[in-house]
mmCIF file of all heavy atoms in Angstrom:
data_model
loop_
_atom_site.group_PDB
_atom_site.id
_atom_site.type_symbol
_atom_site.label_atom_id
_atom_site.label_comp_id
_atom_site.label_asym_id
_atom_site.label_seq_id
_atom_site.Cartn_x
_atom_site.Cartn_y
_atom_site.Cartn_z
ATOM 1 N N SER P 77 10.910 30.849 -24.190
ATOM 2 C CA SER P 77 11.454 32.261 -24.513
ATOM 3 C C SER P 77 12.375 32.249 -25.660
ATOM 4 O O SER P 77 12.481 33.449 -26.274
ATOM 5 C CB SER P 77 12.170 32.714 -23.211
ATOM 6 O OG SER P 77 13.186 31.917 -22.893
ATOM 7 N N CYS P 78 13.003 31.201 -26.135
ATOM 8 C CA CYS P 78 13.846 31.118 -27.136
ATOM 9 C C CYS P 78 13.274 30.923 -28.444
ATOM 10 O O CYS P 78 13.570 31.580 -29.442
ATOM 11 C CB CYS P 78 14.889 29.977 -26.943
ATOM 12 S SG CYS P 78 16.361 29.959 -27.997
ATOM 13 N N PHE P 79 12.158 30.078 -28.481
ATOM 14 C CA PHE P 79 11.577 29.749 -29.790
ATOM 15 C C PHE P 79 10.130 30.126 -30.112
ATOM 16 O O PHE P 79 9.670 29.978 -31.157
ATOM 17 C CB PHE P 79 11.809 28.173 -30.041
ATOM 18 C CG PHE P 79 13.227 27.792 -30.146
ATOM 19 C CD1 PHE P 79 13.932 27.140 -29.121
ATOM 20 C CD2 PHE P 79 13.994 28.145 -31.317
ATOM 21 C CE1 PHE P 79 15.234 26.754 -29.331
ATOM 22 C CE2 PHE P 79 15.386 27.803 -31.466
ATOM 23 C CZ PHE P 79 15.907 27.024 -30.451
ATOM 24 N N SER P 80 9.358 30.474 -29.073
ATOM 25 C CA SER P 80 7.992 30.811 -29.259
ATOM 26 C C SER P 80 7.714 31.855 -30.339
ATOM 27 O O SER P 80 6.786 31.566 -31.165
ATOM 28 C CB SER P 80 7.254 31.109 -28.024
ATOM 29 O OG SER P 80 7.220 29.906 -27.104
ATOM 30 N N THR P 81 8.486 32.845 -30.305
ATOM 31 C CA THR P 81 8.205 33.875 -31.284
ATOM 32 C C THR P 81 8.416 33.463 -32.728
ATOM 33 O O THR P 81 7.697 33.799 -33.701
ATOM 34 C CB THR P 81 9.216 35.136 -31.039
ATOM 35 O OG1 THR P 81 9.041 35.749 -29.740
ATOM 36 C CG2 THR P 81 9.191 36.193 -32.057
ATOM 37 N N LEU P 82 9.482 32.618 -32.957
ATOM 38 C CA LEU P 82 9.733 32.010 -34.335
ATOM 39 C C LEU P 82 8.694 31.019 -34.781
ATOM 40 O O LEU P 82 8.162 31.143 -35.747
ATOM 41 C CB LEU P 82 11.122 31.419 -34.379
ATOM 42 C CG LEU P 82 11.585 30.899 -35.654
ATOM 43 C CD1 LEU P 82 11.693 31.777 -36.757
ATOM 44 C CD2 LEU P 82 12.915 30.187 -35.473
ATOM 45 N N PHE P 83 8.438 30.075 -33.811
ATOM 46 C CA PHE P 83 7.650 29.020 -34.242
ATOM 47 C C PHE P 83 6.193 29.299 -34.205
ATOM 48 O O PHE P 83 5.337 28.556 -34.806
ATOM 49 C CB PHE P 83 7.883 27.717 -33.438
ATOM 50 C CG PHE P 83 9.196 26.907 -33.900
ATOM 51 C CD1 PHE P 83 10.346 27.320 -33.498
ATOM 52 C CD2 PHE P 83 8.977 25.980 -34.773
ATOM 53 C CE1 PHE P 83 11.459 26.745 -33.969
ATOM 54 C CE2 PHE P 83 10.123 25.318 -35.299
ATOM 55 C CZ PHE P 83 11.390 25.648 -34.832
ATOM 56 N N LYS P 84 5.705 30.390 -33.606
ATOM 57 C CA LYS P 84 4.325 30.868 -33.571
ATOM 58 C C LYS P 84 4.055 31.949 -34.702
ATOM 59 O O LYS P 84 2.996 32.395 -34.839
ATOM 60 C CB LYS P 84 3.839 31.395 -32.211
ATOM 61 C CG LYS P 84 3.685 30.314 -31.138
ATOM 62 C CD LYS P 84 3.258 30.733 -29.967
ATOM 63 C CE LYS P 84 2.942 29.580 -28.900
ATOM 64 N NZ LYS P 84 2.418 30.043 -27.524
ATOM 65 N N PHE P 85 5.155 32.384 -35.340
ATOM 66 C CA PHE P 85 5.023 33.375 -36.345
ATOM 67 C C PHE P 85 4.204 32.772 -37.556
ATOM 68 O O PHE P 85 4.149 31.657 -37.801
ATOM 69 C CB PHE P 85 6.444 33.722 -36.924
ATOM 70 C CG PHE P 85 6.395 34.781 -37.919
ATOM 71 C CD1 PHE P 85 6.199 36.028 -37.495
ATOM 72 C CD2 PHE P 85 6.744 34.487 -39.240
ATOM 73 C CE1 PHE P 85 6.306 37.045 -38.542
ATOM 74 C CE2 PHE P 85 6.756 35.490 -40.168
ATOM 75 C CZ PHE P 85 6.609 36.748 -39.782
ATOM 76 N N GLU P 86 3.388 33.772 -38.050
ATOM 77 C CA GLU P 86 2.268 33.246 -38.909
ATOM 78 C C GLU P 86 2.742 32.493 -40.059
ATOM 79 O O GLU P 86 2.268 31.322 -40.447
ATOM 80 C CB GLU P 86 1.594 34.546 -39.469
ATOM 81 C CG GLU P 86 0.406 34.206 -40.455
ATOM 82 C CD GLU P 86 -0.303 35.469 -40.940
ATOM 83 O OE1 GLU P 86 0.139 36.543 -40.490
ATOM 84 O OE2 GLU P 86 -1.250 35.347 -41.800
ATOM 85 N N GLU P 87 3.941 33.030 -40.750
ATOM 86 C CA GLU P 87 4.342 32.141 -41.952
ATOM 87 C C GLU P 87 5.172 31.009 -41.670
ATOM 88 O O GLU P 87 5.483 30.109 -42.489
ATOM 89 C CB GLU P 87 5.259 33.232 -42.764
ATOM 90 C CG GLU P 87 4.322 34.352 -43.354
ATOM 91 C CD GLU P 87 5.146 35.212 -44.334
ATOM 92 O OE1 GLU P 87 6.356 34.851 -44.687
ATOM 93 O OE2 GLU P 87 4.767 36.352 -44.611
ATOM 94 N N MET P 88 5.547 30.801 -40.365
ATOM 95 C CA MET P 88 6.150 29.575 -39.882
ATOM 96 C C MET P 88 5.113 28.409 -39.843
ATOM 97 O O MET P 88 5.599 27.223 -39.870
ATOM 98 C CB MET P 88 6.846 29.765 -38.523
ATOM 99 C CG MET P 88 7.481 28.586 -37.970
ATOM 100 S SD MET P 88 8.961 27.837 -38.972
ATOM 101 C CE MET P 88 10.278 28.861 -38.415
ATOM 102 N N GLN P 89 3.821 28.676 -39.762
ATOM 103 C CA GLN P 89 2.861 27.625 -39.592
ATOM 104 C C GLN P 89 2.832 26.689 -40.774
ATOM 105 O O GLN P 89 2.533 25.644 -40.693
ATOM 106 C CB GLN P 89 1.471 28.238 -39.467
ATOM 107 C CG GLN P 89 1.407 29.098 -38.151
ATOM 108 C CD GLN P 89 2.115 28.634 -37.030
ATOM 109 O OE1 GLN P 89 1.784 27.512 -36.486
ATOM 110 N NE2 GLN P 89 3.049 29.311 -36.502
ATOM 111 N N GLU P 90 3.231 27.261 -41.983
ATOM 112 C CA GLU P 90 3.374 26.209 -43.108
ATOM 113 C C GLU P 90 4.407 25.102 -42.782
ATOM 114 O O GLU P 90 4.218 24.089 -43.172
ATOM 115 C CB GLU P 90 3.768 27.073 -44.422
ATOM 116 C CG GLU P 90 3.639 26.205 -45.614
ATOM 117 C CD GLU P 90 4.073 26.956 -46.863
ATOM 118 O OE1 GLU P 90 4.392 28.077 -46.742
ATOM 119 O OE2 GLU P 90 3.956 26.355 -47.958
ATOM 120 N N ILE P 91 5.426 25.495 -42.074
ATOM 121 C CA ILE P 91 6.468 24.468 -41.722
ATOM 122 C C ILE P 91 5.913 23.637 -40.624
ATOM 123 O O ILE P 91 6.172 22.352 -40.554
ATOM 124 C CB ILE P 91 7.809 25.172 -41.338
ATOM 125 C CG1 ILE P 91 8.405 26.004 -42.690
ATOM 126 C CG2 ILE P 91 8.869 24.193 -40.893
ATOM 127 C CD1 ILE P 91 9.582 26.687 -42.221
ATOM 128 N N VAL P 92 5.313 24.236 -39.582
ATOM 129 C CA VAL P 92 4.997 23.518 -38.495
ATOM 130 C C VAL P 92 3.899 22.544 -38.695
ATOM 131 O O VAL P 92 3.959 21.408 -38.173
ATOM 132 C CB VAL P 92 4.471 24.552 -37.334
ATOM 133 C CG1 VAL P 92 3.832 23.840 -36.124
ATOM 134 C CG2 VAL P 92 5.541 25.488 -36.962
ATOM 135 N N LYS P 93 2.906 22.795 -39.638
ATOM 136 C CA LYS P 93 1.911 21.747 -40.017
ATOM 137 C C LYS P 93 2.477 20.652 -40.711
ATOM 138 O O LYS P 93 1.809 19.587 -40.939
ATOM 139 C CB LYS P 93 0.918 22.489 -40.653
ATOM 140 C CG LYS P 93 1.108 22.828 -42.174
ATOM 141 C CD LYS P 93 -0.050 23.566 -42.767
ATOM 142 C CE LYS P 93 0.157 23.933 -44.218
ATOM 143 N NZ LYS P 93 -0.913 24.617 -44.807
ATOM 144 N N ASN P 94 3.689 20.722 -41.228
ATOM 145 C CA ASN P 94 4.261 19.594 -42.090
ATOM 146 C C ASN P 94 5.326 18.888 -41.388
ATOM 147 O O ASN P 94 5.676 17.791 -41.984
ATOM 148 C CB ASN P 94 4.892 20.269 -43.431
ATOM 149 C CG ASN P 94 3.840 20.627 -44.415
ATOM 150 O OD1 ASN P 94 3.288 19.673 -45.123
ATOM 151 N ND2 ASN P 94 3.494 21.914 -44.601
ATOM 152 N N PHE P 95 5.694 19.291 -40.190
ATOM 153 C CA PHE P 95 6.555 18.596 -39.453
ATOM 154 C C PHE P 95 6.202 18.430 -38.036
ATOM 155 O O PHE P 95 5.636 19.323 -37.496
ATOM 156 C CB PHE P 95 8.140 19.241 -39.485
ATOM 157 C CG PHE P 95 8.739 19.339 -40.892
ATOM 158 C CD1 PHE P 95 8.360 20.319 -41.853
ATOM 159 C CD2 PHE P 95 9.657 18.344 -41.205
ATOM 160 C CE1 PHE P 95 8.920 20.347 -43.068
ATOM 161 C CE2 PHE P 95 10.240 18.324 -42.373
ATOM 162 C CZ PHE P 95 9.901 19.303 -43.355
ATOM 163 N N THR P 96 6.808 17.214 -37.400
ATOM 164 C CA THR P 96 6.593 17.182 -35.929
ATOM 165 C C THR P 96 7.700 18.072 -35.346
ATOM 166 O O THR P 96 8.916 18.115 -35.839
ATOM 167 C CB THR P 96 6.773 15.740 -35.537
ATOM 168 O OG1 THR P 96 5.831 14.927 -36.117
ATOM 169 C CG2 THR P 96 6.717 15.666 -33.992
ATOM 170 N N VAL P 97 7.423 18.838 -34.240
ATOM 171 C CA VAL P 97 8.319 19.812 -33.720
ATOM 172 C C VAL P 97 8.497 19.345 -32.292
ATOM 173 O O VAL P 97 7.521 19.205 -31.477
ATOM 174 C CB VAL P 97 8.003 21.227 -33.843
ATOM 175 C CG1 VAL P 97 8.900 22.178 -33.125
ATOM 176 C CG2 VAL P 97 7.798 21.577 -35.341
ATOM 177 N N VAL P 98 9.656 19.215 -31.680
ATOM 178 C CA VAL P 98 10.056 18.924 -30.374
ATOM 179 C C VAL P 98 11.051 19.926 -29.819
ATOM 180 O O VAL P 98 12.027 20.139 -30.470
ATOM 181 C CB VAL P 98 10.408 17.433 -29.979
ATOM 182 C CG1 VAL P 98 11.769 17.137 -30.815
ATOM 183 C CG2 VAL P 98 10.619 17.168 -28.557
ATOM 184 N N HIS P 99 10.611 20.571 -28.699
ATOM 185 C CA HIS P 99 11.549 21.722 -28.147
ATOM 186 C C HIS P 99 12.114 20.957 -26.871
ATOM 187 O O HIS P 99 11.374 20.566 -25.941
ATOM 188 C CB HIS P 99 10.743 22.927 -27.771
ATOM 189 C CG HIS P 99 10.115 23.594 -28.854
ATOM 190 N ND1 HIS P 99 10.828 24.210 -29.836
ATOM 191 C CD2 HIS P 99 8.705 23.933 -29.137
ATOM 192 C CE1 HIS P 99 10.071 24.740 -30.742
ATOM 193 N NE2 HIS P 99 8.837 24.653 -30.410
ATOM 194 N N VAL P 100 13.532 20.881 -26.764
ATOM 195 C CA VAL P 100 14.004 20.205 -25.616
ATOM 196 C C VAL P 100 14.595 21.266 -24.796
ATOM 197 O O VAL P 100 15.294 22.223 -25.243
ATOM 198 C CB VAL P 100 15.238 19.357 -26.170
ATOM 199 C CG1 VAL P 100 15.982 18.785 -25.108
ATOM 200 C CG2 VAL P 100 14.715 18.267 -27.067
ATOM 201 N N ASP P 101 14.516 21.219 -23.479
ATOM 202 C CA ASP P 101 14.938 22.109 -22.482
ATOM 203 C C ASP P 101 16.257 21.385 -21.848
ATOM 204 O O ASP P 101 16.121 20.248 -21.458
ATOM 205 C CB ASP P 101 13.992 22.350 -21.417
ATOM 206 C CG ASP P 101 12.906 23.286 -21.985
ATOM 207 O OD1 ASP P 101 13.257 24.467 -22.304
ATOM 208 O OD2 ASP P 101 11.784 22.873 -21.947
ATOM 209 N N ALA P 102 17.246 22.081 -21.669
ATOM 210 C CA ALA P 102 18.441 21.699 -21.031
ATOM 211 C C ALA P 102 17.989 21.470 -19.479
ATOM 212 O O ALA P 102 17.100 22.007 -18.988
ATOM 213 C CB ALA P 102 19.632 22.656 -20.981
ATOM 214 N N PRO P 103 18.837 20.398 -18.899
ATOM 215 C CA PRO P 103 18.267 19.960 -17.456
ATOM 216 C C PRO P 103 18.178 21.258 -16.596
ATOM 217 O O PRO P 103 18.967 22.001 -16.505
ATOM 218 C CB PRO P 103 19.469 19.140 -16.967
ATOM 219 C CG PRO P 103 20.035 18.596 -18.270
ATOM 220 C CD PRO P 103 19.941 19.639 -19.289
ATOM 221 N N GLY P 104 16.994 21.269 -15.917
ATOM 222 C CA GLY P 104 16.724 22.297 -14.913
ATOM 223 C C GLY P 104 16.469 23.777 -15.415
ATOM 224 O O GLY P 104 16.330 24.643 -14.738
ATOM 225 N N GLN P 105 16.315 23.818 -16.856
ATOM 226 C CA GLN P 105 16.128 25.168 -17.363
ATOM 227 C C GLN P 105 14.563 25.464 -17.719
ATOM 228 O O GLN P 105 14.267 26.600 -17.934
ATOM 229 C CB GLN P 105 16.772 25.211 -18.627
ATOM 230 C CG GLN P 105 18.394 24.876 -18.462
ATOM 231 C CD GLN P 105 19.071 25.819 -17.476
ATOM 232 O OE1 GLN P 105 19.069 27.035 -17.457
ATOM 233 N NE2 GLN P 105 19.700 25.202 -16.473
ATOM 234 N N GLU P 106 13.697 24.344 -17.737
ATOM 235 C CA GLU P 106 12.361 24.622 -18.189
ATOM 236 C C GLU P 106 11.602 25.470 -17.165
ATOM 237 O O GLU P 106 12.033 25.528 -16.000
ATOM 238 C CB GLU P 106 11.631 23.224 -18.372
ATOM 239 C CG GLU P 106 11.476 22.454 -17.018
ATOM 240 C CD GLU P 106 12.577 21.594 -16.656
ATOM 241 O OE1 GLU P 106 13.741 21.771 -17.190
ATOM 242 O OE2 GLU P 106 12.363 20.724 -15.760
ATOM 243 N N ASP P 107 10.448 26.086 -17.574
ATOM 244 C CA ASP P 107 9.588 26.754 -16.717
ATOM 245 C C ASP P 107 9.186 25.934 -15.476
ATOM 246 O O ASP P 107 8.724 24.779 -15.641
ATOM 247 C CB ASP P 107 8.343 27.245 -17.500
ATOM 248 C CG ASP P 107 8.452 28.687 -17.803
ATOM 249 O OD1 ASP P 107 9.346 29.485 -17.465
ATOM 250 O OD2 ASP P 107 7.618 29.164 -18.794
ATOM 251 N N GLY P 108 9.234 26.492 -14.271
ATOM 252 C CA GLY P 108 8.794 25.776 -13.096
ATOM 253 C C GLY P 108 9.840 24.827 -12.685
ATOM 254 O O GLY P 108 9.422 23.974 -11.660
ATOM 255 N N ALA P 109 10.983 24.721 -13.124
ATOM 256 C CA ALA P 109 12.004 23.710 -12.535
ATOM 257 C C ALA P 109 12.449 24.053 -11.327
ATOM 258 O O ALA P 109 12.648 25.245 -10.967
ATOM 259 C CB ALA P 109 13.137 23.597 -13.630
ATOM 260 N N ALA P 110 12.610 22.970 -10.407
ATOM 261 C CA ALA P 110 13.120 23.283 -9.102
ATOM 262 C C ALA P 110 14.588 23.476 -9.073
ATOM 263 O O ALA P 110 15.300 22.938 -9.973
ATOM 264 C CB ALA P 110 12.687 22.110 -8.210
ATOM 265 N N ALA P 111 15.030 24.317 -8.142
ATOM 266 C CA ALA P 111 16.516 24.532 -8.121
ATOM 267 C C ALA P 111 17.215 23.340 -7.619
ATOM 268 O O ALA P 111 16.884 22.671 -6.715
ATOM 269 C CB ALA P 111 16.725 25.765 -7.202
ATOM 270 N N TYR P 112 18.356 23.150 -8.212
ATOM 271 C CA TYR P 112 19.214 21.964 -7.770
ATOM 272 C C TYR P 112 19.830 22.213 -6.604
ATOM 273 O O TYR P 112 20.064 23.345 -6.107
ATOM 274 C CB TYR P 112 20.311 21.670 -8.922
ATOM 275 C CG TYR P 112 19.747 21.125 -10.144
ATOM 276 C CD1 TYR P 112 20.112 21.674 -11.415
ATOM 277 C CD2 TYR P 112 19.036 19.965 -10.273
ATOM 278 C CE1 TYR P 112 19.717 21.246 -12.655
ATOM 279 C CE2 TYR P 112 18.604 19.474 -11.370
ATOM 280 C CZ TYR P 112 18.882 20.086 -12.623
ATOM 281 O OH TYR P 112 18.415 19.642 -13.774
ATOM 282 N N PRO P 113 20.111 21.218 -5.716
ATOM 283 C CA PRO P 113 20.689 21.335 -4.433
ATOM 284 C C PRO P 113 22.200 21.900 -4.582
ATOM 285 O O PRO P 113 22.804 21.685 -5.552
ATOM 286 C CB PRO P 113 20.633 20.023 -3.780
ATOM 287 C CG PRO P 113 20.607 19.114 -4.871
ATOM 288 C CD PRO P 113 19.783 19.676 -5.941
ATOM 289 N N ASN P 114 22.692 22.541 -3.505
ATOM 290 C CA ASN P 114 24.053 22.841 -3.588
ATOM 291 C C ASN P 114 24.934 21.700 -3.784
ATOM 292 O O ASN P 114 24.695 20.626 -3.226
ATOM 293 C CB ASN P 114 24.480 23.573 -2.222
ATOM 294 C CG ASN P 114 23.675 24.805 -2.007
ATOM 295 O OD1 ASN P 114 23.394 25.567 -3.014
ATOM 296 N ND2 ASN P 114 23.587 25.261 -0.769
ATOM 297 N N GLY P 115 25.952 21.931 -4.618
ATOM 298 C CA GLY P 115 26.984 20.844 -4.888
ATOM 299 C C GLY P 115 26.456 19.971 -6.045
ATOM 300 O O GLY P 115 27.329 19.007 -6.459
#
Side-chain angles (χ1 to χ4, degrees):
S77 58
C78 189
F79 292 109
S80 285
T81 299
L82 177 63
F83 280 86
K84 289 185 177 180
F85 185 69
E86 181 180 358
E87 294 185 14
M88 177 63 86
Q89 300 317 300
E90 185 179 5
I91 297 175
V92 171
K93 72 181 181 182
N94 282 286
F95 291 85
T96 299
V97 179
V98 60
H99 300 295
V100 177
D101 289 296
Q105 309 301 304
E106 68 273 14
D107 257 349
Y112 289 127
N114 291 333

